[in-house]
Amino acid sequence: MRLLILGGTTEASALARHLAGRRDIAPVLSLAGRTERPTLPPIPCRVGGFGGIEGLAAYLRAEAIAAVIDATHPFAARMSAHAAAACTETGVPLAAFTREGWDARLGDDWTSVVDLDAAVEALGEAPRRVFLTSGRLGLAAFRAAPQHDYLLRSIDPPPEADRPSRCEVVLGRGPFDVAAESALMRRHGIEILVTKNSGGDRAKLDAARSLGVPVVLVERPAAIGGTTFTTLDAVLAWIDNLDTTD
C-alpha cells in the first residue's frame, strides 16, 4: 500500500519510523523544504511543493497513493487545505495526525488571539521586551510594532527583511527544559511571550508562569478535512484498517 505522509513535525517522524521496514506499506514522506537541515527518517523522502491542489492530485494519481496522512504543523493551514481538496478530488482517504493543543493551567496569564496581526495588537503601545517563538513565517507582522525589543527563537535564521528593527535572533531546536527557558527569559529581561498554540513541549509556558510573564497565544486554525488523530497508536490503527481493495 502506497502511503503519503505530509510531514515536518515530530509526529510525522515518529509515524515514519514505525512504518519503516513494513513489507505491507510503502510510505513516502513529503517535506515542504522550509527547514535548511531537516532530520530525515528511514523512509523515502521528497522535498518541495506539489504545485497546488492540481499538482498534489496529479501526484496521488501518478504514484497510486492509497491514503494520505496530514502530519504537517498545526498552523500549516494552506497545505492542509490543499490536501483535503486533492483527496476529495481523487477519492483518496485522508487522516490528520497532530499533537494536542495546550490548555491553560492554574497561574497561567494567557491572552488568546486569532492570528499574528492580533498578537501584534495585543502587545500594546508601550515598549516591551518580547520573546517570539512563533517561527519565521509571519515574522514580518511584528515590523508594524517597532517600539518593542524582540528576542526571536528560530530553527533557521529568518531573512533580514522580515525582522523587526530591534530584533535579536537565537537559534534553537526543541525540546527545551523549564530551567533553560527560565534562564533565557531572565537573561534577556523578557516581559511578554508570543507563541502559537502548536502543542507539544510546553517548557516555555511553564517558565513564563513561574516568572509571572504573560503570554500572547495564537490559537490554531480549525481542522479542515479528514479524521483527526492525536496518538500514534490511533493513526496506525486507521492505516491498518484501510480498505484498499477498490
Side-chain angles (χ1 to χ4, degrees):
M1 179 173 64
R2 299 273 291 163
L3 183 72
L4 175 64
I5 304 169
L6 303 175
T9 61
T10 55
E11 287 74 24
S13 297
L15 177 59
R17 288 193 299 271
H18 275 75
L19 295 177
R22 280 185 56 165
R23 296 184 178 181
D24 59 329
I25 296 176
V28 59
L29 177 68
S30 177
L31 300 174
R34 289 174 178 156
T35 300
E36 293 178 2
R37 294 176 297 279
T39 301
L40 300 179
I43 65 171
C45 183
R46 66 176 302 281
V47 178
F50 291 94
I53 296 169
E54 290 305 317
L56 177 54
Y59 177 90
L60 298 180
R61 294 188 184 101
E63 297 296 323
I65 299 297
V68 176
I69 307 295
D70 178 5
T72 56
H73 191 276
F75 284 82
R78 184 177 182 184
M79 186 66 247
S80 293
H82 286 186
C87 286
T88 297
E89 179 180 328
T90 58
V92 172
L94 169 68
F97 179 30
T98 188
R99 68 199 74 166
E100 297 230 19
W102 295 310
D103 292 320
R105 296 177 179 175
L106 183 64
D108 284 328
D109 180 5
W110 291 3
T111 299
S112 294
V113 295
V114 297
D115 56 28
L116 289 175
D117 289 332
V120 173
E121 291 187 16
L123 292 177
E125 294 297 326
R128 307 172 89 171
R129 298 189 64 81
V130 183
F131 186 21
L132 284 180
T133 65
S134 52
R136 293 184 301 162
L137 298 181
L139 176 60
F142 293 92
R143 292 178 62 85
Q147 71 272 27
H148 305 300
D149 289 295
Y150 297 94
L151 176 68
L152 169 71
R153 182 165 64 207
S154 178
I155 295 175
D156 298 315
E160 289 282 353
D162 290 345
R163 304 180 191 184
S165 56
R166 300 208 297 261
C167 180
E168 180 179 350
V169 177
V170 56
L171 302 181
R173 186 194 298 265
F176 303 98
D177 62 69
V178 176
E181 295 288 70
S182 298
L184 179 67
M185 291 187 199
R186 286 196 193 95
R187 186 163 62 250
H188 290 272
I190 296 301
E191 297 173 290
I192 191 165
L193 165 67
V194 178
T195 193
K196 293 178 177 178
N197 193 351
S198 53
D201 170 25
R202 61 178 296 142
K204 59 193 170 189
L205 299 173
D206 293 338
R209 182 176 64 250
S210 69
L211 297 173
V213 171
V215 177
V216 176
L217 190 70
V218 182
E219 295 295 350
R220 62 176 65 182
I224 296 173
T227 304
T228 298
F229 300 102
T230 57
T231 68
L232 181 60
D233 287 344
V235 75
L236 288 172
W238 182 84
I239 293 169
D240 288 337
N241 290 323
L242 284 170
D243 182 359
T244 60
T245 58
D246 293 341

